[in-house]
């Protein structure tokens, strides 16, 4: 069975600074995808970034980037130039490749961006 | 484009009562998901539909939970009878098709409190 671990329950960062959220996972699969989802207070969960395990290049979406270390089974999220609107719960998630995989989430990291 | 709609947003019931939640996915999305998110944890998939067929319901407590997606559009999730441990946020999500390359779009959730 796959597991996803987020070891930082809470983090804080000053506005405009950079913060890194950690995630590790365990799987015996070779074909899989990793995700970071953001859940702002009282708002819908949205996809931040997706990484395909077979791709060497780390995914980037504007101020969000990942450090994917396949051998170490590590998938961290870096947020650059943090903004107040980045305050949210961040969930790391895993999905097997193929058409019928389902998302397996970690417990989340609560990020607070301070002015 | 309208997002995923859910109702009610909040529900308080007593244990052993029954409750139903409704979800309207994004128009044209073939795949619909129900997740349970207990406080302090990440969402856990309960059931996954492709059109009006069940793809995965392995984590649905079938002795008390049921779900249907008539005509492959709206879906309802029912709990009967409810237990204290069912207190959670129930999230509905939809995606155009199955698979990890399809982004799942989440609704605002229904917060259930069982007393």
């Amino acid at each position: 069975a796959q597991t996803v671990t987020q070891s930082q329950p809470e983090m804080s960062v000053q506005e405009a600074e950079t913060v890194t959220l950690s995630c590790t996972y365990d799987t015996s699969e070779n074909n899989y995808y990793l995700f970071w989802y953001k859940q702002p207070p009282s708002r819908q969960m949205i996809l931040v970034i997706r990484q395909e395990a077979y791709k060497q290049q780390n995914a980037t979406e504007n101020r969000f980037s990942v450090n994917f270390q396949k051998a170490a089974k590590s998938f961290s999220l870096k947020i650059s130039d943090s903004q107040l609107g980045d305050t949210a719960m961040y969930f790391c998630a895993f999905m097997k490749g193929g058409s019928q995989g389902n998302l397996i989430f970690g417990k989340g990291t609560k990020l607070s961006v301070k002015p | 484009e309208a997002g995923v709609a859910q109702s009610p947003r909040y529900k308080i019931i007593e244990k052993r009562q029954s409750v139903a939640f409704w979800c309207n996915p994004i128009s044209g999305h073939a795949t619909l998901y129900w997740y349970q998110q207990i406080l302090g944890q990440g969402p856990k998939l309960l059931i996954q539909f492709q059109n009006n067929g069940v793809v995965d319901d392995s984590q649905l407590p079938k002795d008390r939970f049921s779900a249907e997606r008539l005509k492959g559009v709206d879906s309802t999730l029912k709990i009967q009878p409810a237990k204290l441990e069912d207190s959670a946020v129930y999230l509905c999500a939809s995606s155009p098709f199955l698979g990890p390359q399809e982004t799942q779009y989440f609704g605002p959730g229904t917060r259930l409190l069982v007393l």
Side-chain angles (χ1 to χ4, degrees):
Chain A
Q2 290 79 26
T3 58
V4 177
T5 302
Q6 294 179 251
S7 58
Q8 305 152 315
E10 291 193 43
M11 293 190 73
S12 65
V13 63
Q14 291 296 128
E15 197 175 5
E17 294 190 345
T18 295
V19 64
T20 298
L21 309 184
S22 301
C23 172
T24 58
Y25 60 95
D26 190 23
T27 184
S28 57
E29 302 285 335
N30 283 318
N31 179 19
Y32 56 89
Y33 292 68
L34 296 163
F35 306 79
W36 281 97
Y37 276 85
K38 171 185 178 181
Q39 190 174 39
S42 302
R43 293 181 61 188
Q44 272 96 313
M45 187 174 299
I46 57 172
L47 177 66
V48 175
I49 201 163
R50 174 187 4 235
Q51 174 78 42
E52 300 166 45
Y54 65 85
K55 288 190 174 178
Q56 299 271 11
Q57 189 171 6
N58 288 325
T60 299
E61 289 286 344
N62 301 313
R63 298 182 295 107
F64 298 87
S65 61
V66 298
N67 183 6
F68 174 45
Q69 302 289 327
K70 190 172 184 178
K73 295 182 180 174
S74 169
F75 183 62
S76 60
L77 175 70
K78 186 172 83 170
I79 306 174
S80 304
D81 185 26
S82 296
Q83 301 175 0
L84 296 178
D86 295 334
T87 293
M89 284 291 293
Y90 286 83
F91 292 95
C92 180
F94 170 100
M95 184 187 287
K96 286 194 303 185
S99 62
Q100 294 191 12
N102 68 75
L103 281 170
I104 298 169
F105 287 89
K107 290 188 174 183
T109 295
K110 183 177 181 180
L111 177 67
S112 298
V113 180
K114 301 186 184 304
Chain B
E1 177 181 75
V4 176
Q6 291 187 246
S7 68
R9 293 295 308 277
Y10 304 92
K11 191 74 177 178
I12 301 175
I13 61 173
E14 295 191 349
K15 61 182 179 183
R16 292 188 289 274
Q17 287 187 324
S18 62
V19 65
F21 313 128
W22 173 82
C23 173
N24 179 237
I26 292 174
S27 177
H29 281 194
T31 311
L32 185 147
Y33 314 79
W34 282 103
Y35 290 89
Q36 180 192 57
Q37 186 176 15
I38 292 173
L39 187 64
Q41 298 184 21
K44 181 184 82 171
L45 181 72
L46 292 175
I47 189 167
Q48 182 178 349
F49 292 93
Q50 175 73 358
N51 296 311
N52 59 354
V54 175
V55 174
D56 182 358
D57 64 356
S58 58
Q59 298 191 94
L60 186 74
K62 298 181 186 64
D63 58 334
R64 298 183 301 105
F65 286 65
S66 63
E68 60 182 8
R69 191 182 184 199
L70 299 176
K71 301 180 182 178
V73 182
D74 292 4
S75 177
T76 55
L77 176 70
K78 297 179 182 177
I79 309 175
Q80 182 179 10
K83 292 185 175 181
L84 297 177
E85 59 260 37
D86 298 331
S87 294
V89 177
Y90 291 84
L91 297 170
C92 180
S94 70
S95 62
F97 298 104
L98 281 171
Q101 290 157 327
E102 301 291 335
T103 298
Q104 293 188 26
Y105 296 85
F106 285 79
T110 295
R111 188 175 298 273
L112 174 67
L113 179 61
V114 182
L115 302 175

Coordinates of all heavy atoms in Angstrom, one line a residue, chain A residues 11 37 48 106 112:
Chain A
M11 N 3.7 25.6 9.5 CA 4.9 26.4 9.1 C 4.5 27.8 8.9 O 3.3 28.1 8.6 CB 5.6 25.9 7.8 CG 6.2 24.5 7.9 SD 7.2 24.1 6.5 CE 8.6 25.2 6.8
Y37 N -1.7 19.9 -3.5 CA -2.9 20.6 -3.5 C -2.9 21.7 -2.4 O -2.3 21.5 -1.3 CB -4.1 19.6 -3.2 CG -4.6 18.9 -4.4 CD1 -3.9 17.7 -4.9 CD2 -5.7 19.4 -5.2 CE1 -4.4 17.0 -6.0 CE2 -6.1 18.7 -6.3 CZ -5.5 17.5 -6.7 OH -5.9 16.9 -7.8
V48 N -2.1 22.6 -7.2 CA -1.0 23.5 -7.3 C 0.0 23.1 -8.4 O 0.4 23.8 -9.3 CB -0.2 23.7 -6.0 CG1 1.0 24.6 -6.1 CG2 -1.2 24.3 -4.9
G106 N -1.5 13.1 2.1 CA -0.9 13.2 3.4 C -1.8 14.0 4.3 O -2.9 14.4 3.9
S112 N 1.2 29.5 7.1 CA 0.8 30.9 7.4 C 1.8 31.9 6.8 O 3.0 31.7 7.2 CB 0.6 31.1 8.9 OG -0.3 30.3 9.4

